[in-house]
Amino acid sequence: MKTTSYNPSPLEVDLANAILILQKEIEKHLQDNRIVTAESNLGKDNPLVRFILEDKDGDHHELVVRIVQIPDK
C-alpha cells in the first residue's frame, strides 16, 4: 500500500491512538510510576502522545512520544 499523505499519515495516527488505548498496559511496565494523564495531538505533522507520570515520591514527570513515518522508498 502506498502512503499518499504524511502530514500526518493514517498509520501515524493509528499508532498514536493504539498507544493511548494501551496506557494501562504500559503503566504495568513503569517501575514505581503511574500514569496520571495521557493525551494526544493527532493533527500535528508527527502525532504525539504526552504522558504525565507520578513517581512513588509524588513527583510528576512528563514524557512525550512523537511518531514519525519515514516516506516510502
Side-chain angles (χ1 to χ4, degrees):
M1 174 180 93
K2 284 280 188 195
T3 303
T4 58
S5 172
Y6 288 96
N7 296 326
S9 77
L11 191 54
E12 290 172 335
V13 172
D14 287 348
L15 184 57
N17 280 322
I19 291 170
L20 274 179
I21 290 166
L22 294 171
Q23 67 180 288
K24 288 298 177 191
E25 288 297 314
I26 293 169
E27 186 176 57
K28 293 177 186 177
H29 301 279
L30 301 174
Q31 297 177 8
D32 298 323
N33 286 274
R34 70 178 187 91
I35 297 174
V36 177
T37 61
E39 59 186 37
S40 64
N41 186 337
L42 304 178
K44 295 181 72 78
D45 284 351
N46 302 116
L48 61 84
V49 181
R50 182 181 319 274
F51 291 97
I52 304 296
L53 305 177
E54 183 178 79
D55 64 23
K56 64 183 178 181
D57 297 326
D59 297 327
H60 285 184
H61 306 279
E62 183 175 354
L63 297 173
V64 176
V65 178
R66 179 157 290 175
I67 299 152
V68 179
Q69 181 178 2
I70 305 302
D72 298 339
K73 295 180 182 175

